Amino acid sequence: MSTLRDLVEEHTGLGSEDIDHLHRLAGDWQLLSDLSFADLLLWVPVNGHESFLCVAQVRPTTAPTAYQDDQVGRTVHGPEVAHLTIAYRQGRIWREGDPVWYGDTPARHEAIPVRLRDDEGESGEVIAVVGRDTNLSTARTPSQLELNYLTTADDLAQMVADGTFPPLRHRGETTSAPRVGDGLIRLDASGKVTYASPNAQSAFRRLGFSSHLVGEDLAALGARLADDPLEGTDASARILAALGGEAPSRKEIEARGATVLTRALPLMPAGVPIGALVLVRDVTEVRRRDRALVTKDATIREIHHRVKNNLQTVAALLRLQARRVETPSAKAALEESVRRVASIALVHETLSMSSDEAVEFDGIVDRVAAAAAEVGTTASKVTMRRKGTFGVLPAEMATSLVMVLNELLINAVEHGFPEIDGVGAVGEVVVSAHRHRKQLHVTVVDNGTGLPDEFDAERSGRLGLQIVRALVTGELSGTIELRARPEGGTEAVLVLPLTKR
């Protein structure tokens, strides 16, 4: 299905600012839909304003929908668009007419013109129409809550027609919460509460206010309840800003171990400030879980930091021991162990700076490659290069893969570029990586002396190759192939699954 922007750009001549406004409306109109107990359909005129195309739709969470089928992409014309045409051409909300039937479902049609205010704050031309279609099959005498919902919905609908709703979004904010059902408070022009839904009343009881909210000055109440006086003053200022016609960002109020998220919106139909709408949501449990996760993440990072320190200590002890050993083979074995331990420490160092159990692997490969290049003889000059990207890998995969690459790179430098008669070799080792069909393909290629004629990786007695085979086939559930290159040198090819088997 095409997006709102795609449909509008393809079928209308609306500019980018107009389309952005329609996007903001579609991002915030769940509020209007829930307050109206109605489906909202966003219509734009097409074919010389003779027809209308539906480019977005939202269903209410507070009432049954009027449409079982998706209406986006549908084009209507003739008698079906009479109410849309009137709203579009006359620039007023249309509420006349008899109910219409969709199959067995009776529905009431309304049409709300959509305007975008200009830089001077004046209402511009109508750019679209919102159809507000209410399912009448469950019609009954509305309750006090429903009456307040509908009254507030009419005020917001007029603001849509005026171009003052929706407000501009604040950076970093989403539009998912709080919603109408979480808690609604309506204020008059002086800031006094004229209505509070049961959920809103319960949220403020959690904050320590046991009386009824109606008649209270909400700005003063929020400042009085908050544990932190500065935070309370800030919450109060945002409610006052909404009463003044602004749309401040959301604010959390914390008191007595509870946390309530608030969102204040001005109510100013026809440009006249008549009060504010305050949505509230009790997010106490959400914030408790957030704090628990932060504590858990910090603990995990500290564990990785300590593991890294311990591994570095082990490497330092092995390095000291290597300096005291005079037997060349024992000295070489200890030095290899130092490099293996250090490569694992790199992974834990990266994890200690991350908030999850995944690592950006490219930086680790580059550091391992730089260390491997120093293994060669002083007379040799081997350069390391990486092609492609490994991306983000889970910690358990990264730990095994870094050891595999460490062994392959050291083998390439040590055995591919030996010093002959005091003359060092010059060459290059390239590590390539790319992802394909949930697999990671890695190759380590050098242009060195190549493999011996009778080389058999399966029967090789080298410890490094035994470690590589064990890790690739066991821990990583992948495959590895070592082969000579026709143009000279050696190539190691690894294919590793990116999902657990």
Side-chain angles (χ1 to χ4, degrees), residues 9-243:
E9 288 180 344
E10 181 180 353
H11 296 280
T12 75
L14 294 178
S16 59
E17 289 187 2
D18 295 331
I19 297 175
D20 288 342
H21 182 70
L22 295 182
H23 264 293
R24 285 198 301 275
L25 176 59
D28 222 359
W29 68 349
Q30 184 71 59
L31 169 63
L32 179 56
S33 176
D34 289 343
L35 289 171
S36 302
F37 306 99
D39 290 73
L40 301 183
L41 282 68
L42 183 59
W43 299 94
V44 293
V46 295
N47 301 327
H49 299 178
E50 295 298 323
S51 305
F52 282 83
L53 170 68
C54 181
V55 296
Q57 175 185 5
V58 64
R59 293 181 172 89
T61 62
T62 52
T65 180
Y67 302 97
Q68 296 301 321
D69 298 326
D70 188 27
Q71 301 297 302
V72 176
R74 178 183 172 215
T75 301
V76 294
H77 53 82
E80 281 189 277
V81 302
H83 62 300
L84 303 176
T85 302
I86 293 173
Y88 183 80
R89 292 179 177 174
Q90 298 183 11
R92 67 176 179 87
I93 298 177
W94 185 92
R95 291 192 175 93
E96 303 87 32
D98 297 324
V100 296
W101 289 81
Y102 294 100
D104 296 331
T105 303
R108 180 177 64 247
H109 272 335
E110 296 176 74
I112 306 166
V114 179
R115 287 186 175 90
L116 171 64
R117 299 181 77 83
D118 58 26
D119 295 336
E120 285 73 33
E122 299 295 328
S123 295
E125 298 295 324
V126 177
I127 60 175
V129 178
V130 170
R132 183 163 61 169
D133 302 338
T134 307
N135 185 332
L136 298 178
S137 61
T138 58
R140 55 182 174 78
T141 303
S143 65
Q144 183 185 12
L145 178 145
E146 291 166 337
L147 286 173
N148 276 277
Y149 276 20
L150 292 170
T151 300
T152 305
D154 288 342
D155 292 335
L156 292 180
Q158 185 59 54
M159 291 171 65
V160 171
D162 298 338
T164 56
F165 184 87
L168 294 175
R169 292 182 185 175
H170 294 273
R171 185 184 299 272
E173 280 194 346
T174 62
T175 57
S176 58
R179 292 192 175 190
V180 169
D182 295 325
L184 178 144
I185 300 173
R186 186 177 172 112
L187 309 179
D188 62 17
S190 67
K192 298 292 181 62
V193 177
T194 60
Y195 176 77
S197 70
N199 283 345
Q201 187 71 51
S202 296
F204 271 81
R205 286 185 182 277
R206 294 291 300 275
L207 294 175
F209 184 72
S210 57
S211 300
H212 203 279
L213 283 171
V214 173
E216 290 289 332
D217 184 327
L218 192 65
L221 179 62
R224 189 168 72 246
L225 291 177
D227 288 338
D228 186 334
L230 293 177
E231 293 295 316
T233 301
D234 188 17
S236 174
R238 299 190 192 206
I239 293 175
L240 294 175
L243 292 170

Side-chain angles (χ1 to χ4, degrees), residues 304-318:
H304 284 302
H305 180 71
R306 293 188 183 186
V307 170
K308 182 261 297 184
N309 288 343
N310 290 339
L311 289 171
Q312 289 179 337
T313 301
V314 171
L317 292 173
L318 291 173

Side-chain angles (χ1 to χ4, degrees), residues 26 80 90 124 136 147 326 375 381 399 403 486:
E80 281 189 277
Q90 298 183 11
L136 298 178
L147 286 173
E326 297 180 356
V375 173
K381 185 178 181 181
T399 303
M403 288 193 66

Side-chain angles (χ1 to χ4, degrees), residues 290-307:
D290 287 345
R291 285 190 288 269
L293 286 174
V294 169
T295 301
K296 180 181 177 182
D297 288 342
T299 302
I300 291 173
R301 287 198 298 272
E302 178 62 21
I303 290 172
H304 284 302
H305 180 71
R306 293 188 183 186
V307 170

Side-chain angles (χ1 to χ4, degrees), residues 449-460:
T449 58
L451 295 171
D453 293 337
E454 298 179 355
F455 177 80
D456 185 349
E458 296 294 330
R459 298 181 180 180
S460 174

